Amino acid sequence: MDGSNGTRASDARAAEVQPGIPPRKLAKRIAMAKAACAVFGREGYARASVDALAEAADVSTRTLYNHFPGGKAELFATVVTWTSGEVRDAHVATVRALFDPGRPPHPDNLERDLAALARALVRVMFEHSDHFALVRHIHAEVNHVPAEVLEAWKEAGPRPVARALAEAMEGLAAAGLLDVHGDAELAGTHFTALTAHQIVQQSHYGLLPLPEEETERLLNGGVAAFARAYRAGRGAG
């Protein structure tokens, strides 16, 4: 995807978050949201001031409030929901491309394909670094982020991705490759915890990328641990 196509896709996602707004006003809101994303990613929610957000967007604070009457909280919710949608789509597309229920992997290829999934999920983090800078601050400042913003973020991103992973786990179980012990969603949670989550934590949400060999060690080790617990016929019970 070239830069112009990526920008158009990003703007289209922002338009979905802000439906029914005239194009000219929408373009202004998108520009302000993009500027705010960088500020929030750098400063976090609590430390980012309305003045700094307006300055980054090259508008007055009055103009910012005209477009976002709820001020910083509304602007943050808009940015988080918009970027979460982008990341959600990338994650869900990755899961469904690699684990189509109609085309389950050969048993001998299960760990290889699970490693490919973990690798692809981690890649999304580096391709959407601005979003994950926001997520890092959400986790660090959870007591300062409005509850409705947290809920909007979870509904826009983490929950749909968790459902997609659960569907993939259910498909692998139906194919006789995994035993999810009656809880496909938990199996998906364990998969990400053992693989991609390790990279997220140790790279500080992609801020300090790990050496490739260390990334591969963590991913492959996590996949092996997951397979030992969940491969059909090899359950931990």
Side-chain angles (χ1 to χ4, degrees):
M1 178 183 290
D2 64 31
S4 61
N5 287 339
T7 298
R8 285 195 294 270
S10 179
D11 290 355
R13 170 61 59 196
E16 289 181 21
V17 176
Q18 301 288 312
I21 298 176
R24 187 170 180 179
K25 185 174 183 180
L26 178 61
K28 187 70 172 178
R29 288 170 70 94
I30 289 173
M32 294 168 67
K34 286 181 177 178
C37 185
V39 175
F40 284 130
R42 183 178 67 249
E43 302 294 337
Y45 178 77
R47 291 199 305 169
S49 68
V50 172
D51 287 342
L53 292 164
E55 182 179 357
D58 196 24
V59 299
S60 67
T61 56
R62 180 177 179 179
T63 297
L64 187 147
Y65 279 110
N66 284 341
H67 285 271
F68 299 94
K72 182 168 74 168
E74 182 181 350
L75 181 53
F76 189 69
T78 299
V79 170
V80 168
T81 305
W82 159 38
T83 60
S84 291
E86 292 184 316
V87 172
R88 174 199 66 218
D89 289 352
H91 274 147
V92 171
T94 294
V95 173
R96 291 177 177 167
L98 288 172
F99 288 99
D100 180 348
R103 295 183 291 104
H106 187 278
D108 292 344
N109 295 335
L110 178 61
E111 289 190 36
R112 182 201 67 185
D113 290 353
L114 287 171
L117 174 60
R119 201 172 291 115
L121 293 176
V122 168
R123 191 179 307 120
V124 170
M125 176 179 67
F126 292 105
E127 292 172 348
H128 296 269
S129 56
D130 285 348
H131 169 76
F132 283 95
L134 290 176
V135 172
R136 178 166 57 90
H137 283 295
I138 287 174
H139 287 299
E141 305 179 60
V142 66
N143 290 331
H144 300 286
V145 178
E148 62 273 18
V149 175
L150 285 173
E151 182 63 21
W153 164 58
K154 291 176 183 178
E155 191 57 36
R159 287 174 184 154
V161 174
R163 287 194 290 270
L165 275 171
E167 290 170 4
M169 297 298 156
E170 287 175 351
L172 292 172
L177 299 175
L178 294 182
D179 178 358
V180 299
H181 312 296
D183 196 335
E185 184 175 348
L186 183 60
T189 298
H190 285 163
F191 175 74
T192 55
L194 288 166
T195 57
H197 186 70
Q198 292 296 310
I199 312 301
V200 171
Q201 293 299 305
Q202 295 196 34
S203 70
H204 301 279
Y205 291 84
L207 186 64
L208 301 173
L210 301 175
E212 184 177 354
E213 59 273 17
E214 179 63 7
T215 297
E216 286 297 306
R217 186 184 74 84
L218 291 170
L219 289 178
N220 291 327
V223 167
F226 178 82
R228 283 194 296 272
Y230 281 100
R231 187 188 287 274
R234 300 187 189 177

